Amino acid sequence: IFLGTLAGCSPSFASLALVGVLVNAAAAFSPAASSSFLPHALRPAAVSHQSPSLLAPPRQCRGASLGPVMMGRAAAVREKKKGKTDAIKNKLNSRFGKMATSCVKSGGSDPSANAALGKILEQAQKASVPKKIMENAMKRATNKDQADFKEGTFEIYAHGGAAFVVDVLTDNNNRAAGDIRTVVNKQKLKLAESGSVAFNFDRVGQVTVESDKSEDDMMEAAMEAGADDLEAVEDEEEGTKGFHIYTDTTDMMQVSAALEAAGVKVTETKFIYKPKAPVECSDEDIDLNLKAIDFLEELDDVDAVHTNML
């Protein structure tokens, strides 16, 4: 996987260990909280999917398509729903626990000797994840009956010509596949063949920053840090402004560190599937798709749902 060289953690999991916290998902619970995670090694028997390690997107032209983010009704609704419920916070806590368990199993429980574990504990503290949750997750890793967590992707055709890419992190492949298949059937979606949905997206790193800088000034800072693209974003409810800064998958942490060194407040780092061409859906299809996304996100094994719906 992209960042598989991290010490103390398996390659299939290492990129996930670097992912920052979900700002939009956790901001309502703590000013310091902020994530979604990535890579893919799962191969459910009855579901075809595709590993992004084999589909690393070509680098974009630096400075291309810089401008304010275009948000349709669906995007606006999803943004408003993020970070609103205890379920979101619980999923964030669970995600960090899974990551800690996996890294302890592969690299030991000493953060000073296991760099990936140390990074996870640091991020969990910033996200206000209870210390007890992390301690229990690390203890579970010493249980010989505890299976390791694996990452995977499911590709789904949604309503109105839209598509979903679903990231999972699970210690039981069959359960994850079965639960997702149940939601797909009940919500009248359709599982897609490997690659038939993923080609509509680019796999990129996303560094979210909070800043009152002008777009021109942030563009200059982002380009100097090694970024490829950026979009202006605004959270009307929180009254904050900032930018999504997009990077090559291998440059995300380097860009994040460079921005922080330049005095920019980084609130989140994660890998995402960025739609190449967003699909405009009817109001009815938007409602159906949002309902389906909610059901998928409620599953314990689902880490993130990416969509190209506008």
Side-chain angles (χ1 to χ4, degrees):
I1 296 291
F2 304 110
L3 302 180
T5 58
L6 272 178
C9 196
S10 63
S12 67
F13 198 85
S15 59
L16 190 55
L18 287 177
V19 175
V21 278
L22 282 168
V23 158
N24 291 332
F29 300 88
S30 167
S34 49
S35 184
S36 214
F37 297 82
L38 320 348
H40 319 272
L42 175 61
R43 295 289 190 271
V47 182
S48 296
H49 63 285
Q50 159 170 333
S51 170
S53 63
L54 302 179
L55 295 171
R59 295 184 66 87
Q60 304 170 32
C61 295
R62 296 189 183 277
S65 64
L66 292 162
V69 65
M70 302 301 292
M71 294 182 64
R73 174 173 172 257
V77 171
R78 294 298 296 168
E79 287 297 319
K80 288 182 179 180
K81 293 181 74 173
K82 281 190 173 183
K84 298 290 185 180
T85 65
D86 289 342
I88 293 293
K89 181 63 176 176
N90 291 337
K91 183 173 282 288
L92 182 67
N93 293 344
S94 175
R95 182 179 299 120
F96 274 109
K98 290 177 182 180
M99 293 184 345
T101 298
S102 181
C103 279
V104 169
K105 286 181 72 68
S106 62
S109 59
D110 182 2
S112 62
N114 186 339
L117 177 62
K119 185 67 175 179
I120 290 171
L121 294 177
E122 178 185 345
Q123 292 176 345
Q125 184 178 20
K126 290 181 179 179
S128 299
V129 177
K131 185 177 180 181
K132 190 67 175 178
I133 288 179
M134 301 304 290
E135 291 176 347
N136 290 340
M138 293 169 67
K139 288 179 181 178
R140 281 198 301 271
T142 63
N143 186 340
K144 64 180 181 180
D145 295 327
Q146 172 63 54
D148 198 3
F149 288 96
K150 297 182 181 299
E151 299 146 328
T153 303
F154 293 83
E155 301 177 29
I156 298 173
Y157 292 117
H159 299 281
F164 300 157
V165 177
V166 182
D167 289 332
V168 300
L169 179 61
T170 180
D171 59 352
N172 187 318
N173 296 354
N174 291 333
R175 180 188 65 221
D179 288 348
I180 288 176
R181 192 180 298 110
T182 296
V183 172
V184 166
N185 291 338
K186 287 185 176 181
Q187 299 303 312
K188 300 185 187 312
L189 308 175
K190 182 180 179 182
L191 285 167
E193 295 293 331
S194 176
S196 57
V197 163
F199 82 93
N200 292 302
F201 299 79
D202 286 325
R203 186 67 162 172
V204 301
Q206 177 179 284
V207 180
T208 301
V209 303
E210 185 177 313
S211 176
D212 290 327
K213 287 179 177 288
S214 69
E215 188 168 340
D216 287 342
D217 288 343
M218 184 54 67
M219 181 198 314
E220 182 178 356
M223 296 302 105
E224 288 181 357
D228 293 327
D229 195 2
L230 68 73
E231 293 175 315
V233 293
E234 181 175 356
D235 189 327
E236 294 182 358
E237 291 190 348
E238 296 296 325
T240 59
K241 295 181 179 181
F243 300 86
H244 288 325
I245 297 174
Y246 301 109
T247 76
D248 185 81
T249 52
T250 58
D251 294 341
M252 182 179 70
M253 297 311 296
Q254 176 184 329
V255 170
S256 176
L259 289 169
E260 288 185 320
V264 178
K265 182 180 179 181
V266 175
T267 56
E268 179 184 20
T269 56
K270 62 182 179 181
F271 293 123
I272 66 166
Y273 280 98
K274 187 172 181 286
K276 294 179 179 178
V279 175
E280 187 170 357
C281 297
S282 67
D283 287 352
E284 180 181 0
D285 287 331
I286 287 174
D287 290 338
L288 290 172
N289 287 335
L290 291 177
K291 181 180 178 182
I293 291 174
D294 284 341
F295 278 114
L296 287 168
E297 289 181 336
E298 287 175 1
L299 299 177
D300 289 339
D301 293 318
V302 169
D303 212 39
V305 181
H306 311 275
T307 180
N308 60 355
M309 177 176 63
L310 181 63

